[in-house]
Structure formats: structure tokens, C-alpha cells
Amino acid sequence: MTSLTELSLRHNALGDAGLRRLCEGLKHPSIRLQKLDLCHCSLTSGCCADLALALCGNPSLLELNLSRNELGDSGLMQLCHGLKHPECRIEKLWLASCTLSGSCGAALASVLSTSQTLTTLCLGENELGDSAVMQLCEGLTEPGCKIQTFDLWLCSLTAPCCPGLASALMASPALTELTLSDNNLGDFGLRLLCDGLRNPGCRVQRLYLDSIGLTDDCIPDLCSALATNEALQTLTLNCNHLTDASITSFSQLRNTHGALPYIGTAGNGFTSSGREQLQLLMADSG
């Protein structure tokens, strides 16, 4: 069926054998499939070599969801061979909860720096750790990197990876959306990120920092960085440990910066009065 452009098989026990048969079809020259969803399909590393070949042989495929499959580092490394192939045109790739670890950092960084089409990469819910993310940040800052949306939600990250992330904020040529939620970055990590946010080269428009262990102590530094940042439109700080003590810094930012970005603050320790003050600040900034 040459007219089929989108196919979702999510939440089916397709398995490696079923995926191999599907890959044979994907390589057929008449197939024009653009979006393929294989989330939670009982896939393992055993199918990744076939999938990599299909990526090389199907230039029409633009979006691929492989989340919630136990591909592991070995499977990911095989997949990377296909992602780096000149005929691969994947633009959006989801690899959330694929049992990846820090060992795959170098292979993924190579994809970031060589792919001419990849703009969205989701790696959430993988045990990547700081060292792998530092490698990924090196790929992000390569001139050829096209990544616009980068999701590192719940990836076992701590403050030591934040200098690399700050460098990516400064120098990544395309990055406009970054998710770092549910990582233990803390106040110190946030202060390191602020070095990137205040840099004129930062082009990030949406930054998600929910549940990363922030307290009131880091908010003056954050507001100082935001005062010089002209790109950011959305910032979420939900489910941290902020209180009414932070409101003064937000108010001062409003007075010096003019229109604020949208700042999400749900699930913190604000009083009802504090929440009202924040709502007024956000409303005034609009």
C-alpha cells in the first residue's frame, strides 16, 4: 500500500521476529511510510541490525518511536549505524525507557554531530548519567548538529553534567527546547546552567526544570540570568522546594526585564497569598 504514511503498532507483542518481517517491507522502494510507532512492542537488541538497515534503505521515514523496548546499549549502537547513514532521513526519534546506560553516550554523540536531519531526540527514563550527557553535549555543540528538541527527563543526572549542558545552551546552533526534569541537579547545578542561560548565544525557548531539587537559594541567580535572556518563552519549575521567599526575586525581574517568560511554579511551597502574587506577576507580564 504505497499511500500509507503513518503506522502505529504500539502496545503489541510484535517481538524481534515480527519487526524483522516489517523491516523487509520498509526496504521496498514503493513504501512511503513517514511515521512509525513501535512503542512497547517487546523489541530487544536482536532486531536492531535489521532496523538499522531499514533506516538506510527508506529515505521517506521521518519519525520513529522505539520507546519502552529493551534495546539496551548494544542495540542502540547497532541502530546508530543506520542513523548516521547518508540515506537515513529520520527527523524525530523517541528512545525513552530503552534500558540505555552511560556506555552509549559516545555512539549517540556521533549521531548528533553527523545526522543532517535529526531535530528531536527523547532519551527520558534511561540511566545515562553525567558522563554520557557530557559526551552528548559535545555532539550538540558541533556546527552540523540540527537538534532542536532534546529530552533528558529522569536520566540520573546530577550537578557535574551541568557545565556541559551550559555549554550546549551557549553554543548549540539549533537547540530551542530542553527537558531536564526529574534529575537531581539541585541549586548548584542550576547555578551552573545559568552560565548558559545568560550567554547571548542561548536560543532555548522552552526549558523544563520540574522536580530537580531547587530551593529559594538559587532563585536570585536564576532571575539574574533571565534578566539578560531574550529567547526564553517558557520555564517550568514545578514540584521543587520554592516558597514565598522567592517572590521578591521574581518581582525584581519583572521590574527590570519587562515581560516575563511563562514560569510554571505548581507543586512548590508557596502560600495561597504567594500563589496569588505570582499569578499577578505572570498576568502583568503578558
Side-chain angles (χ1 to χ4, degrees):
M1 183 182 293
T2 58
S3 61
L4 183 68
T5 59
E6 298 184 23
L7 176 62
S8 175
L9 297 169
R10 61 189 297 129
H11 299 292
N12 283 290
L14 189 66
D16 293 344
L19 192 279
R20 291 190 191 99
R21 296 188 186 97
L22 180 63
C23 287
E24 289 301 315
L26 287 175
K27 290 184 287 185
H28 195 278
S30 67
I31 297 298
R32 295 292 182 266
L33 196 66
Q34 297 176 13
K35 300 179 182 180
L36 179 59
D37 188 346
L38 298 171
C39 176
H40 207 290
C41 283
S42 302
L43 307 180
T44 74
S45 60
C47 70
C48 289
D50 296 274
L51 188 53
L53 287 174
L55 293 178
C56 302
N58 189 326
S60 65
L61 190 62
L62 305 178
E63 299 184 16
L64 177 62
N65 189 347
L66 294 171
S67 295
R68 304 196 180 283
N69 291 291
E70 295 187 6
L71 306 183
D73 294 340
S74 60
L76 187 279
M77 290 175 187
Q78 294 177 73
L79 192 64
C80 286
H81 292 303
L83 292 168
K84 292 191 293 183
H85 193 277
E87 293 300 315
C88 178
R89 294 291 183 267
I90 290 290
E91 296 176 357
K92 298 180 180 181
L93 177 64
W94 289 269
L95 294 168
S97 191
C98 283
T99 61
L100 306 180
S101 78
S103 299
C104 69
L108 279 170
S110 179
V111 171
L112 295 183
S113 60
T114 58
S115 173
Q116 296 300 302
T117 58
L118 189 64
T119 61
T120 296
L121 179 60
C122 175
L123 297 170
E125 280 192 287
N126 286 294
E127 297 284 336
L128 296 182
D130 295 334
S131 59
V133 169
M134 292 289 283
Q135 291 175 310
L136 290 171
C137 288
E138 292 178 7
L140 283 174
T141 57
E142 288 291 325
C145 181
K146 302 295 191 298
I147 290 291
Q148 299 173 13
T149 300
F150 196 38
D151 188 344
L152 294 170
W153 166 66
L154 197 62
C155 282
S156 300
L157 308 183
T158 63
C161 74
C162 289
L165 289 167
S167 295
L169 290 176
M170 297 178 197
S172 180
L175 188 64
T176 56
E177 181 173 324
L178 177 62
T179 300
L180 297 171
S181 299
D182 290 282
N183 290 291
N184 190 26
L185 305 183
D187 290 346
F188 182 57
L190 190 278
R191 291 189 180 102
L192 295 171
L193 281 177
C194 285
D195 291 337
L197 287 173
R198 63 170 53 94
N199 188 279
C202 179
R203 296 291 180 266
V204 168
Q205 299 174 11
R206 294 171 296 279
L207 179 60
Y208 302 100
L209 300 174
D210 304 322
S211 190
I212 64 169
L214 302 183
T215 74
D216 296 320
D217 290 344
C218 71
I219 298 304
D221 295 279
L222 175 60
C223 288
S224 173
L226 294 180
T228 62
N229 185 297
E230 298 181 355
L232 196 66
Q233 300 172 5
T234 297
L235 171 66
T236 65
L237 303 170
N238 302 311
C239 301
N240 283 289
H241 308 294
L242 309 182
T243 71
D244 291 4
S246 294
I247 295 175
T248 298
S249 294
F250 287 124
S251 299
Q252 292 172 345
L253 174 62
R254 171 68 179 87
N255 293 334
T256 59
H257 188 269
L260 292 176
Y262 166 78
I263 302 177
T265 56
N268 281 281
F270 296 106
T271 64
S272 58
S273 174
R275 288 193 293 272
E276 289 177 5
Q277 292 180 63
L278 286 170
Q279 288 173 358
L280 285 173
L281 284 172
M282 295 301 109
D284 290 343
S285 70

